[in-house]
Amino acid sequence: MNHTDCWVQWDKRHSWHPFTQMKAWCSPDHEPLVLVEGQGAILKDSRGRKYIDGNSSIWTNIHGHAHPRIIEAMRKQLDAVAHVSFLGSTNAPAAELSSRLAALFPEEKLPRVFFSDDGSTAIEVALKMATQFWQLQGQPQRCGLIAFHGAYHGDTFGASSLGGIPLFTERFHRFHFPVEHIGSLEELAALPSFLRSEIAAVIIEPLIQGPAGIRLWPPGMLAALRKLCDSNGTLLILDEVLTGFGRTGTLFACEQEKVVPDFLALAKGLTGGFLPLAATLTTDRIFDAFLGEFEEQKTLYYGHSYTGNALACAAALASLDIFREEHVLEKLQPRIAVLRKLLDALRAIPHVSDIRQCGFMAGIEVRPSSQTPYPWQAQTGSRICAAARAYGLLTRPIKDTLILIPPLCTTEEQLTMAVDALRKAIIEICGNKYV
Ligand SMILES: *Cc1c(COP(=O)(O)O)cnc(C)c1O
């Protein structure tokens, strides 16, 4: 048996994959992709086939795979120490990373950094800080939480309580804590004032809702939300787990509307996509409320075993160095324009009903001519992405929206190839004319 067969056999026998119907996965005619190597925006499988990493390895990778600077920083840290406890001690890369992250905001408006492991835990941290903050302020009635329809903030119970995608949350509904879901700012403003005064925090994915299918908020919405929160005394949590680290064209999405939140959740791209690491940034106002004598019991009792992991923090520091020294955001701007042009050309093919782009992220929605969606059971989006694989592009759909979120290092030529693969795959699966 060759290696691939061996890995596939182990996997099918013992692994359980996320968001995956394992019956189809384990069936004899499904050949799982075994990815063995990466270089820049390219991934290689165990049979030697190469692909463009069209969704940045589920939205994590930023500067490409095997980036030499991140590897070097991690090697150096590995030789020193991989992990030590952040409970009772600190370590050099974590301490430096908190100061570097804080410095990314003008006048150190978000000077405190709490590390955790992934997007979901970064959100959990913000939720616990927000609710404890109001208790410490003597306002325990301020415990309401507002999230948006279509929102996605992670899969742990706290984070999924905030979720607004019924497919992911419905089954667990009776175990979720109460969250008011709204569709627009108008709905928030229309809440009776006694309700608004009991809101602890509002949470939103700024500029775009990713997992809802790359849905763009109207321009100005984020700034208006900040104003509304301020007028109600409500805390604002921004989930930049996806939008952070250049995806929208700026380092953080919130910069585009000059908004500073009370909590900023970062994860996916924080280490450049090399290791799991998350950070929840917050203000002095929040932090100071937790200060007191031991007996006052104001301490935040929260943490994980790998909080402040030194190896992951070293990777994150290297990723920030790359942004600065390799002028990543400057070089990205012309390629955002190239992506826009390539996508515009896609609009002409039948069955492409909508294309939504935000910076270096895009969603291409397919529908039959009638404009009503394909039946969901047909898994049209999945079949198109499977077809695109044969043309050298790896990505996944959200329902019938094909997602293109490549690493920021993706070249013009690779972008052209990626969009071309999608074009061929759409025509292959949907046909090249309307029926
Ligand atoms: C991925 C994601 C999360 C959850 O992050 P995990 O690392 O998967 O726990 C939360 N919010 C948004 C917007 C995301 O895209």
Side-chain angles (χ1 to χ4, degrees):
M1 204 158 43
N2 71 32
H3 279 131
T4 301
D5 293 339
C6 192
W7 294 324
V8 165
Q9 192 177 321
W10 285 331
D11 183 283
K12 285 190 175 179
R13 177 72 189 89
H14 296 292
S15 300
W16 190 339
H17 291 262
F19 291 89
T20 301
Q21 177 42 257
M22 291 302 289
K23 182 173 186 227
W25 179 276
C26 295
S27 82
D29 55 2
H30 173 241
E31 187 209 304
L33 199 59
V34 183
L35 295 170
V36 293
E37 260 178 59
Q39 190 68 56
I42 303 295
L43 289 170
K44 201 163 115 184
D45 75 10
S46 58
R47 300 191 192 278
R49 294 171 295 203
K50 289 183 177 173
Y51 310 90
I52 293 166
D53 188 359
N55 76 347
S56 294
S57 296
I58 203 67
W59 311 352
T60 57
N61 194 282
I62 300 287
H63 308 295
H65 297 276
H67 193 292
R69 291 188 72 145
I70 300 182
I71 293 177
E72 190 195 314
M74 286 176 60
R75 283 225 173 92
K76 239 173 106 186
Q77 187 57 42
L78 262 181
D79 283 337
V81 67
H83 179 68
V84 289
S85 175
F86 213 55
L87 171 63
S89 55
T90 191
N91 66 78
E96 186 179 349
L97 183 58
S98 18
S99 93
R100 291 272 298 275
L101 288 173
L104 295 174
F105 288 86
E107 302 148 45
E108 296 218 345
K109 287 201 168 110
L110 293 172
R112 284 287 161 182
V113 179
F114 194 101
F115 291 114
S116 61
D117 307 336
D118 49 49
S120 306
T121 52
I123 299 295
E124 300 283 346
V125 171
L127 290 176
K128 290 211 172 174
M129 283 179 177
T131 43
Q132 184 169 336
F133 170 79
W134 288 117
Q135 291 171 23
L136 296 173
Q137 296 292 98
Q139 299 189 49
Q141 79 288 356
R142 263 204 189 263
C143 56
L145 293 163
I146 303 271
F148 285 84
H149 295 303
Y152 180 81
H153 299 293
D155 291 328
T156 54
F157 261 111
S160 79
S161 295
L162 302 167
I165 300 177
L167 179 65
F168 301 156
T169 58
E170 243 162 26
R171 258 180 214 287
F172 307 111
H173 194 66
R174 57 182 287 234
F175 307 103
H176 283 148
F177 53 68
V179 173
E180 182 75 24
H181 282 91
I182 56 172
S184 66
L185 288 194
E186 290 68 37
E187 280 179 53
L188 180 58
L191 289 177
S193 65
F194 79 91
L195 271 184
R196 273 185 279 138
S197 68
E198 292 184 356
I199 301 170
V202 176
I203 182 163
I204 189 170
E205 296 156 78
L207 301 193
I208 85 160
Q209 287 187 322
I214 312 294
R215 306 225 151 258
L216 279 61
W217 291 116
M221 186 271 201
L222 187 63
L225 175 60
R226 175 74 271 189
K227 272 209 185 111
L228 195 54
C229 285
D230 287 344
S231 65
N232 287 312
T234 303
L235 301 173
L236 176 63
I237 305 173
L238 292 189
D239 177 347
E240 292 231 26
V241 171
L242 166 62
T243 51
F245 303 103
R247 299 267 184 223
T248 66
T250 47
L251 193 60
F252 300 113
C254 61
E255 293 168 37
Q256 296 191 24
E257 300 204 1
K258 301 192 170 53
V259 163
V260 179
D262 299 284
F263 301 96
L264 181 75
L266 302 173
K268 289 191 169 97
L270 176 55
T271 60
F274 276 60
L275 282 173
L277 178 70
T280 306
L281 276 59
T282 192
T283 60
D284 271 333
R285 175 180 174 229
I286 300 291
F287 178 75
D288 290 347
F290 288 71
L291 302 179
E293 297 309 317
F294 175 74
E295 304 78 38
E296 292 177 81
Q297 291 284 286
K298 290 181 170 181
T299 308
L300 177 68
Y301 286 106
Y302 190 98
H304 293 285
S305 320
Y306 283 95
T307 295
N309 177 262
L311 188 59
C313 290
L317 284 170
S319 172
L320 292 179
D321 288 343
I322 295 167
F323 267 108
R324 198 174 51 198
E325 286 163 37
E326 298 185 11
H327 309 288
V328 170
L329 293 175
E330 292 89 321
K331 288 191 205 152
L332 184 63
Q333 307 311 319
R335 274 172 297 121
I336 290 175
V338 167
L339 178 61
R340 177 152 288 130
K341 244 174 97 184
L342 290 167
L343 292 172
D344 268 344
L346 264 194
R347 284 178 204 276
I349 34 176
H351 308 277
V352 170
S353 64
D354 194 17
I355 297 182
R356 300 179 289 274
Q357 183 186 356
C358 176
F360 218 44
M361 304 186 276
I364 298 125
E365 191 166 346
V366 292
R367 287 189 171 198
S369 50
S370 56
Q371 291 303 305
T372 52
Y374 289 104
W376 60 269
Q377 298 90 335
Q379 301 186 67
T380 307
S382 292
R383 282 162 48 227
I384 294 170
C385 289
R389 194 186 278 189
Y391 301 115
L393 174 71
L394 273 191
T395 191
R396 294 178 59 85
I398 295 169
K399 294 188 185 151
D400 291 339
T401 298
L402 318 172
I403 305 298
L404 198 56
I405 303 185
L408 305 190
C409 67
T410 308
T411 63
E412 268 192 50
E413 193 191 351
Q414 289 165 337
L415 276 181
T416 309
M417 284 168 59
V419 174
D420 205 47
L422 284 177
R423 177 205 323 278
K424 288 178 186 150
I426 294 168
I427 292 171
E428 184 176 315
I429 300 299
C430 304
N432 64 358
K433 50 177 175 291
Y434 290 114
V435 282

